[in-house]
Amino acid sequence: MGILKNMFGLMLPQYLLVTTAAVISSSLYFLNLNLFYLILPWIVVSSTMFGLNVFNNFVDFKIDKILKPTRPTVNGTLKLKHVLFFSISLFSLAIFMSIFISGFVSLILTLVSVTLSIIYSLNPIRLKDRLFGANFVGGLLYGVFPYLLVSFSLSQPPNILFMFFLFSLVFCIAHIKDIEDAKFEKKLKVKNLVIFLGKKNALLATTIMLIILNLIMVYFALINVFKIMFIFASFISILLSTLVYYYLLGYKEDKVIVSQSKLVSYYMILIMIIELCYGVINIYNY
C-alpha cells in the first residue's frame, strides 16, 4: 500500500483540477451535458498528464536530491526503474484509449502530446528549461489537447478562437511552477520566465496576461464572435485574477515541498474556476 500511495503522489493528482475543468468547459462550449462522451477524453488527457509528472520525477532525480529530498524517488521509497515503468504504462494507456475516440486522428494527436510530455523533461531538448517552454507545453497539453479530444468525441468542429483561449489561460500561469525551484535553477543558468523577471514580477506578469486575455474575450463578445454573456465570465475572471494576485503578494515560500508548492495549487484552482465559469455561462445562455 505504501508503494501505491507514493506512486499516486508522483502523479500529482491535484492536476486533475485542470484537466477535468478543461474537458468539462470544452464540453459545455459544445452545449453537451452528456458525460458519457467525456469519459474517454478525460482518461486520455489525465493519463498523459500523469505520465508527464511521473516521467519528470524520474528524469529530475538528481535535481530533486537537492531541492526535494523528501520525494519517494530520492529517499529510497521507490526504485527508479519502477517509476520509469509506471510512466511508460500511463503513456501507453493514453495512447491505447485514444484509438476509441476517433481512431487515427485522436491517436496521432495523443502521440504528439506524449512526445511533448517526454521532451518537456528529457535532454537535450528539455523544454521546461527554456524561455516560455513550460508555458507552451502547458497550454498545448492542458488547453488544446483536451479541447480537441472533446471535439473529436462529439464529432463537432473546433472553434479555433475558443481553443486559443484555453491554450492562453494555461500559458499565462504555467511558469508559476518554476518559482519553487528558481534559486537553484538560476545557478544552473536555466532560462525561464521566473528567472528572467523575478518572483514578484512573474506574479504581476501572470495577472496582467490574464486580465488582457479576458479583455480580449470581452471584445470578441461585443462584436458577436462569442456570446454577449461571456462579458460576465470575463469580468468575474479579471476580478478573481486580481484578488489572487493581491492575496499572494505576502506569500512565503513553503519550507518543505514534496509534490508542488501551494502557490501552484492556488493558480490551478483559479484556472479551473475561470474555465468552468465560461462553460457554465455558455450553456446557461443557450
Side-chain angles (χ1 to χ4, degrees):
M1 289 299 293
I3 293 177
L4 290 176
K5 182 180 178 182
N6 284 305
M7 282 293 191
F8 184 73
L10 288 185
M11 294 192 301
L12 300 181
Q14 53 268 47
Y15 274 65
L16 282 175
L17 291 173
V18 177
T19 57
T20 302
V23 168
I24 292 176
S25 64
S26 298
S27 176
L28 293 177
Y29 180 81
F30 290 116
L31 304 175
N32 171 65
L33 294 174
N34 190 338
L35 296 179
F36 175 78
Y37 292 100
L38 305 186
I39 294 174
L40 283 176
W42 182 79
I43 291 174
V44 172
V45 173
S46 299
S47 298
T48 304
M49 175 267 298
F50 284 149
L52 181 154
N53 291 335
V54 174
F55 186 73
N56 185 59
N57 275 275
F58 169 76
V59 174
D60 282 356
F61 168 71
K62 292 183 180 179
I63 295 175
D64 287 340
K65 276 186 174 182
I66 300 170
L67 294 178
K68 294 157 187 163
T70 57
R71 277 191 171 174
T73 48
V74 176
N75 62 23
T77 306
L78 295 174
K79 293 183 179 180
L80 286 180
K81 63 179 181 180
H82 294 157
V83 174
L84 178 60
F85 176 78
F86 188 42
S87 67
I88 293 174
S89 300
L90 289 166
F91 286 140
S92 300
L93 174 63
I95 293 169
F96 175 73
M97 296 301 289
S98 71
I99 298 172
F100 300 100
I101 296 176
S102 63
F104 182 73
V105 176
S106 54
L107 173 62
I108 294 299
L109 179 63
T110 304
L111 285 171
V112 171
S113 298
V114 168
T115 302
L116 267 178
S117 301
I118 292 172
I119 63 176
Y120 171 76
S121 303
L122 195 63
N123 284 318
I125 299 176
R126 195 169 166 84
L127 292 171
K128 66 181 291 186
D129 288 348
R130 300 181 184 276
L131 192 62
F132 295 114
N135 303 76
F136 276 106
V137 173
L140 290 172
L141 294 184
Y142 303 129
V144 174
F145 185 36
Y147 180 79
L148 286 178
L149 286 182
V150 171
S151 171
F152 297 153
S153 181
L154 297 172
S155 299
Q156 294 283 343
N159 181 299
I160 301 301
L161 283 178
F162 192 74
M163 182 174 68
F164 181 74
F165 169 69
L166 293 176
F167 165 84
S168 301
L169 267 180
V170 183
F171 181 94
C172 288
I173 71 150
H175 54 272
I176 297 297
K177 183 78 172 69
D178 296 324
I179 289 178
E180 62 194 48
D181 299 334
K183 291 181 180 178
F184 179 77
E185 290 182 338
K186 191 173 184 179
K187 296 178 181 178
L188 297 178
K189 297 183 179 180
V190 170
K191 297 177 181 179
N192 60 48
L193 196 60
V194 173
I195 292 175
F196 182 72
L197 294 177
K199 173 188 168 182
K200 289 185 178 180
N201 288 333
L203 288 176
L204 178 59
T206 301
T207 307
I208 292 173
M209 286 191 292
L210 287 172
I211 290 173
I212 292 174
L213 176 62
N214 282 283
L215 287 176
I216 291 173
M217 293 298 283
V218 170
Y219 170 74
F220 282 135
L222 288 173
I223 63 172
N224 296 320
V225 173
F226 293 121
K227 295 177 180 179
I228 193 68
M229 290 292 287
F230 269 23
I231 291 176
F232 292 100
S234 299
F235 282 117
I236 291 171
S237 302
I238 290 170
L239 177 61
L240 290 175
S241 301
T242 305
L243 289 174
V244 168
Y245 169 70
Y246 279 108
Y247 175 75
L248 294 175
L249 279 179
Y251 171 79
K252 295 182 180 179
E253 295 181 7
D254 303 60
K255 293 182 179 179
V256 178
I257 298 175
V258 178
S259 56
Q260 69 178 20
S261 67
K262 293 179 181 178
L263 192 65
V264 178
S265 299
Y266 289 137
Y267 274 98
M268 286 173 60
I269 293 171
L270 173 64
I271 293 304
M272 178 193 71
I273 293 173
I274 291 175
E275 288 181 341
L276 292 178
C277 187
Y278 276 93
V280 168
I281 286 180
N282 184 66
I283 201 81
Y284 177 77
N285 195 44
Y286 174 59

